[in-house]
Amino acid sequence: TLKIFKNENLKLKKQRKIKMKQLNELIELYKSNFNLRLEITSNLDNKPVAVLYKPTPKAKFSKEKQIFGFRFLNEDRRLEYINKDYLNRVKNQEAKEKYKSDKKIKNKSDLLNVKVGDIFKDSWGYEQTNVDYFQVVAKPSSSFIVVKKINYELIDETVSNMSAYVKPLINSFKNDEELKFKLNGASFKSSSFSWANKVENIEKEKAYTSWYY
């Protein structure tokens, strides 16, 4: 019986050692991959505890902020939770990187597809909805376009007595003013508060506009 007890005790010590090694590896992984500090402790009842912190260098009173802090029934539960949390963070980071990569590729493709004659639409306003249409008149580089504002015509005034749907009038320029913008994919920032987006289907294009005067 004593021999069996000793063997079991050695087995438990070995398992605990393996778990601590895994926890130490996770501590390093959190730090190296996410710049997070994982703290492994026990509470007064000798229950396993895990606390995760992120740095807050700009904070006035504390240089760290707690992300989570849990007490667990046993070491297995703690290791399981931490391992799952870390893998989820890896998965989310990979998804973000893939999104950024796909967006970069799409933006590059959209830049190349913008050509002279294309129409861009900017819909903006708070108490009323304003619409501006722009027509590309020049493309000096792959990232920059020169546009002019064009007129639009009413196509449906039955919405209400102070709103309607409109469509752009190609080559019907409002004036001779030329505006240069830097493209962001198939759009450009037309003002400090709004963006103009490329009209993909000019035949079906229509925009809602409203006025209160």
Side-chain angles (χ1 to χ4, degrees):
T1 304
L2 183 60
K3 186 177 180 180
I4 294 173
F5 176 77
K6 286 183 177 179
N7 288 337
E8 288 295 324
N9 194 34
L10 287 172
K11 185 179 179 181
L12 287 173
K13 285 183 178 179
K14 187 177 180 180
Q15 289 176 345
R16 192 173 293 113
K17 187 176 180 181
I18 292 172
K19 290 171 187 174
M20 284 307 302
K21 183 181 179 182
Q22 291 174 322
L23 285 171
N24 287 329
E25 288 175 350
L26 283 166
I27 289 172
E28 292 300 318
L29 288 170
Y30 270 107
K31 182 65 177 176
S32 60
N33 292 331
F34 301 107
N35 193 28
L36 300 176
R37 183 172 72 87
L38 178 64
E39 185 178 81
I40 302 298
T41 58
S42 298
N43 65 3
L44 294 176
D45 298 325
N46 205 31
K47 292 293 184 182
V49 174
V51 186
L52 189 65
Y53 299 92
K54 69 176 181 179
T56 55
K58 295 183 179 180
K60 186 176 181 180
F61 299 105
S62 176
K63 297 301 180 183
E64 288 184 316
K65 181 179 179 180
Q66 181 177 311
I67 298 176
F68 69 68
F70 297 113
R71 181 194 66 176
F72 300 88
L73 291 175
N74 52 56
E75 293 180 1
D76 287 334
R77 291 283 184 87
R78 177 171 67 179
L79 181 60
E80 179 185 0
Y81 178 86
I82 295 172
N83 192 57
K84 184 177 179 180
D85 178 79
Y86 175 78
L87 291 176
N88 283 337
R89 291 178 188 277
V90 170
K91 185 178 179 181
N92 290 337
Q93 181 173 274
E94 290 174 347
K96 287 179 181 178
E97 289 174 353
K98 185 179 184 302
Y99 172 79
K100 288 180 181 178
S101 176
D102 290 346
K103 186 177 180 181
K104 187 176 181 179
I105 292 171
K106 185 179 184 302
N107 281 351
K108 187 175 181 180
S109 175
D110 288 341
L111 286 175
L112 295 174
N113 288 331
V114 173
K115 60 186 183 300
V116 173
D118 283 343
I119 307 298
F120 283 75
K121 174 177 64 178
D122 181 9
S123 180
W124 55 278
Y126 180 68
E127 292 185 345
Q128 64 184 45
T129 305
N130 304 288
V131 177
D132 289 320
Y133 282 107
F134 303 86
Q135 184 172 330
V136 180
V137 295
K139 191 177 182 183
S141 69
S142 61
S143 299
F144 286 88
I145 55 173
V146 178
V147 301
K148 287 183 179 182
K149 282 189 177 183
I150 58 174
N151 297 302
Y152 56 72
E153 64 177 341
L154 300 179
I155 58 174
D156 186 358
E157 296 182 80
T158 61
V159 183
S160 73
N161 60 348
M162 290 187 293
S163 63
Y165 283 100
V166 298
K167 70 174 183 179
L169 291 172
I170 299 174
N171 295 324
S172 177
F173 301 108
K174 284 190 171 183
N175 50 54
D176 292 330
E177 183 182 11
E178 293 186 345
L179 306 168
K180 188 177 182 180
F181 294 103
K182 184 177 181 180
L183 287 167
N184 183 1
S187 62
F188 62 83
K189 193 171 184 179
S190 55
S191 68
S192 61
F193 52 84
S194 62
W195 287 74
N197 299 292
K198 181 182 174 183
V199 175
E200 298 296 342
N201 190 333
I202 195 65
E203 297 298 326
K204 295 183 178 181
E205 168 60 18
K206 69 176 183 178
Y208 174 82
T209 184
S210 61
W211 53 93
Y212 296 98
Y213 54 87

